[in-house]
């Protein structure tokens, strides 16, 4: 049984978590022609926008109710009404998300009352859904805000449907999946002749593509809300992420559609279960291409196990991603010495390690130092921690602002797991763990790597670095 060590400090010294509010906003960035409007000050929204822009390196549509000193004291419902009316009039979005912030939650703002007032004053916009979500950023984390928003979207949009659409499959994806992961999962599902509808689909809106127009105030790409409304027409639902359990329960209760739930899709075991589920849903056999990728993953595990086996690893991430990465590295014989999450969750009790700390990066550094960790897994905020510990860092999670392409790296699936093993193995090789030393013959006139320039008798007989042999 994993021991969950709760936070005792009065404040975060080196914060690990990103707030619930921007987690909820990400869900609406994965819906087509949508826009999130954060209920808080301009600073609350600007801070989240900077995180998104630096991570995805794309323009991010994000609005604010712009609470100031007066509205914070006297009441901010008018800001919500005015903000919604302005967005509807100027942009005519398909849907608006309305997450709260720490400021509006502390004030005690009633966003549902404000939406009711907006409906009363502006009936012309009744066809535009507005989804309120309570996401105070002084509790929870990025992942829990995201999960609340998925649940709220399903609760607001999904309607009873009597007719089934042949081959349609709903896929609920967690906050720990990248646009690359979602693309990979959609490709795999389509291999079985199925038609996936991903909720929310950031692989269509935040995958790093040039838009057809220079400027658009709304999201371009993502899940059509008509597809969410008709989720009950699917043959099955696939859920990826333990944090989405409440949303999956609501969708199943609302539609009666059978679901298949997975914590993640990294490694052979869970991928095999995923493929078995797709075979059951579609009635088709596994494609040869997928089986080829499985064999490639097996070979990659053989190649990498010298460097990864028994490696002492520290991980800092939100609960779903922490579970994913811990299962992945221990699947090849590594040990999770330090595991730190910004907020508690039930999935943490299933981690393959002895203890999990709910804390910050200062806790991670302390545990890593005591456990003589060899490698760190975490987001870009962990760069300084890795430097102080003197170990390499494999970037994972949100945000990744100091590298290009980290936001869309593919981790899931046979192919994604294979490439991730190579990345991890190469970092371990950089520490010389698992490195195969070059063979040196007892008849050698010199040691490997030494130049023989100037030696008249052996001037052209230096060893080949590629072969590692010396003759």
């Amino acid at each position: 049984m994993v021991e969950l060590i709760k936070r005792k400090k009065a404040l975060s010294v080196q914060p690990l978590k990103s707030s619930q509010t921007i987690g909820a906003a990400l869900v609406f960035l994965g819906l087509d022609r949508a826009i999130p409007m954060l209920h808080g000050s301009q600073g609350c929204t600007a801070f989240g926008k900077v995180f998104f822009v630096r991570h995805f390196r794309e323009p991010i549509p994000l609005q604010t109710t712009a609470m100031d000193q007066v509205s914070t004291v006297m009441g901010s419902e008018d800001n919500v009404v005015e903000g919604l009316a302005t967005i509807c009039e100027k942009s005519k979005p398909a849907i608006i998300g309305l997450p709260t912030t720490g400021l509006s939650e502390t004030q005690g703002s009633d966003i549902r009352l404000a939406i009711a007032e907006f409906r009363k004053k502006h009936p012309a916009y009744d066809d535009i859904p507005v989804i309120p979500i309570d996401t105070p950023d002084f509790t929870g984390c990025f992942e829990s805000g995201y999960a609340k928003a998925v649940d709220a979207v399903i609760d607001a949009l999904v309607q009873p449907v009597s007719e089934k659409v042949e081959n349609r499959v709903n896929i609920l994806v967690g906050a720990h999946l990248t646009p690359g992961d979602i693309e990979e999962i959609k490709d795999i599902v389509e291999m079985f002749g199925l038609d996936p509808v991903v909720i929310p689909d950031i692989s269509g809106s935040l995958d790093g593509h040039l838009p057809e127009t220079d400027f658009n105030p709304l999201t371009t790409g993502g899940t059509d809300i008509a597809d969410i409304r008709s989720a009950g027409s699917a043959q099955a639902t696939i859920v990826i992420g333990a944090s989405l359990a409440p949303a999956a329960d609501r969708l199943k209760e609302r539609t009666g559609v059978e679901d298949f739930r997975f914590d993640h899709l990294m490694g052979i075991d869970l991928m095999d279960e995923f493929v078995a589920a797709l075979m059951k849903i579609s009635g088709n056999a596994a494609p040869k291409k997928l089986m080829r990728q499985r064999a490639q993953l097996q070979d990659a595990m053989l190649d990498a196990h010298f460097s990864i086996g028994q490696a002492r690893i520290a991980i800092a991430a939100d609960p779903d991603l922490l579970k994913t990465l811990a299962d992945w590295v221990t699947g090849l014989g590594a040990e999770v010495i330090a595991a730190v999450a910004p907020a508690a969750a039930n999935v943490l009790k299933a981690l393959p390690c002895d203890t999990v700390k709910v804390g910050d990066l200062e806790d991670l550094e302390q545990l890593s130092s005591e456990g003589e960790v060899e490698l760190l897994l975490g987001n870009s905020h962990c760069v300084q921690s890795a430097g102080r510990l003197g170990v390499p860092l494999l970037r994972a999670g949100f945000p990744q602002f100091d590298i290009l392409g980290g936001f869309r790296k593919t981790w899931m699936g046979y192919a994604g797991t294979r490439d991730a093993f190579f990345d991890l193995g190469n970092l371990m090789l950089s520490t010389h763990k698992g490195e195969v030393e070059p063979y040196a013959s007892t008849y050698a006139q010199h040691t490997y790597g030494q130049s023989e320039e100037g030696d008249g008798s052996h001037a052209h007989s230096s060893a080949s670095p590629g072969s590692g042999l010396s003759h």
Side-chain angles (χ1 to χ4, degrees):
M1 186 70 178
V2 178
E3 181 186 3
L4 192 62
I5 304 173
K6 297 183 179 179
R7 187 194 310 270
K8 292 183 178 177
K9 292 190 293 190
L11 74 167
S12 291
V13 180
Q14 299 173 50
L16 167 63
K17 87 166 185 177
S18 300
S19 78
Q20 286 198 110
T21 309
I22 60 173
L26 181 61
V27 171
F28 294 93
L29 297 177
L31 307 183
D32 190 31
R33 296 187 62 249
I35 187 165
M37 182 174 75
L38 310 191
H39 185 28
S41 71
Q42 288 183 319
C44 298
T45 304
F47 195 70
K49 190 160 186 166
V50 167
F51 265 58
F52 281 134
V53 170
R54 295 183 73 192
H55 179 75
F56 291 107
R57 296 181 186 267
E58 298 290 338
I60 299 295
L62 206 61
Q63 284 292 349
T64 175
T65 55
M67 291 172 61
D68 57 14
Q69 296 92 327
V70 175
S71 59
T72 300
V73 175
M74 303 302 293
S76 57
E77 282 72 21
D78 289 345
N79 292 48
V80 176
V81 175
E82 185 178 349
L84 291 174
T86 302
I87 292 173
C88 291
E89 180 185 358
K90 290 187 174 181
S91 306
K92 295 181 173 53
I95 187 170
I96 301 173
L98 185 60
T100 59
T101 64
L103 178 61
S104 54
E105 287 286 340
T106 304
Q107 183 208 36
S109 178
D110 189 340
I111 51 176
R112 288 161 186 80
L113 177 65
I115 292 173
E117 188 68 18
F118 164 72
R119 295 298 187 200
K120 187 185 301 180
K121 289 185 176 179
H122 302 279
Y125 306 126
D126 281 353
D127 60 331
I128 300 176
V130 178
I131 314 294
I133 310 119
D134 299 311
T135 49
D137 53 15
F138 41 78
T139 64
C141 60
F142 183 84
E143 173 188 292
S144 58
Y146 179 100
K148 283 183 178 181
V150 173
D151 187 22
V153 167
I154 290 172
D155 186 31
L157 297 182
V158 174
Q159 301 169 349
V161 176
S162 56
E163 295 183 1
K164 294 291 181 182
V165 175
E166 187 176 2
N167 295 332
R168 172 173 169 169
V169 176
N170 301 320
I171 305 179
L172 300 188
V173 294
H176 57 315
L177 270 62
T178 67
D181 289 331
I182 296 172
E183 281 184 354
E184 177 72 9
I185 292 167
K186 286 162 62 177
D187 287 344
I188 293 172
V189 172
E190 288 171 352
M191 286 182 191
F192 287 84
L194 299 170
D195 180 20
V197 174
V198 180
I199 306 173
D201 188 0
I202 59 172
S203 75
S205 56
L206 294 172
D207 59 332
H209 66 277
L210 286 177
E212 296 178 356
T213 56
D214 290 337
F215 172 75
N216 193 324
L218 308 174
T219 55
T220 54
T223 315
D224 192 317
I225 65 168
D227 287 336
I228 301 176
R229 285 194 169 106
S230 62
S233 65
Q235 291 189 346
T237 298
I238 294 169
V239 184
I240 306 171
S243 62
L244 297 181
D249 291 342
R250 188 184 298 279
L251 182 60
K252 189 171 184 178
E253 180 184 354
R254 189 74 57 89
T255 64
V257 175
E258 179 186 17
D259 64 27
F260 300 83
R261 304 187 186 193
F262 305 88
D263 288 345
H264 56 83
L265 296 178
M266 282 195 84
I268 283 185
D269 292 343
L270 282 180
M271 266 306 295
D272 285 351
E273 292 180 21
F274 180 57
V275 170
L278 294 176
M279 292 170 64
K280 180 181 177 183
I281 297 167
S282 67
N284 297 326
K288 289 182 179 179
K289 180 180 179 180
L290 203 56
M291 292 301 95
R292 179 75 172 177
Q293 291 177 351
R294 187 180 189 277
Q296 291 171 342
L297 172 56
Q298 289 176 307
D299 185 72
M301 294 173 72
L302 282 173
D303 294 344
H305 84 278
F306 288 109
S307 52
I308 298 177
Q310 296 184 321
R312 302 170 68 81
I313 291 179
I315 308 173
D318 283 4
D320 275 356
L321 183 59
L322 184 52
K323 176 70 163 54
T324 301
L325 297 174
D327 285 350
W328 170 56
V329 298
T330 55
L332 204 55
E335 299 177 68
V336 177
I337 303 301
V340 177
N346 288 334
V347 73
L348 295 176
K349 298 175 183 175
L351 256 65
C353 57
D354 296 331
T355 61
V356 179
K357 175 80 173 180
V358 178
D360 59 13
L361 294 179
E362 182 189 54
D363 298 314
L364 179 76
E365 287 187 40
Q366 183 180 353
L367 293 171
S368 299
S369 181
E370 293 170 355
E372 299 180 354
V373 159
E374 297 172 283
L375 187 140
L376 180 59
L377 283 167
N379 61 27
S380 290
H381 290 304
C382 297
V383 169
Q384 286 76 22
S385 297
R388 284 189 285 269
L389 291 167
V391 299
L393 168 70
L394 181 60
R395 290 167 180 79
F398 176 90
Q400 297 180 44
F401 47 75
D402 59 338
I403 59 172
L404 294 175
F407 73 94
R408 63 158 297 123
K409 176 180 168 61
T410 302
W411 300 78
M412 304 290 161
Y414 293 126
T417 307
R418 174 200 63 202
D419 294 343
F421 269 135
F422 286 144
D423 291 341
L424 182 62
N426 285 330
L427 277 178
M428 292 306 301
L429 285 176
S430 72
T431 68
H432 304 287
K433 178 180 175 60
E435 192 173 46
V436 180
E437 295 293 333
Y439 169 74
S441 168
T442 55
Y443 301 107
Q445 300 294 312
H446 57 85
T447 58
Y448 175 75
Q450 288 183 335
S451 171
E452 294 186 277
E453 295 295 334
D455 184 340
S457 60
H458 302 284
H460 303 291
S461 61
S462 58
S464 164
S467 66
L469 301 177
S470 176
H471 298 284

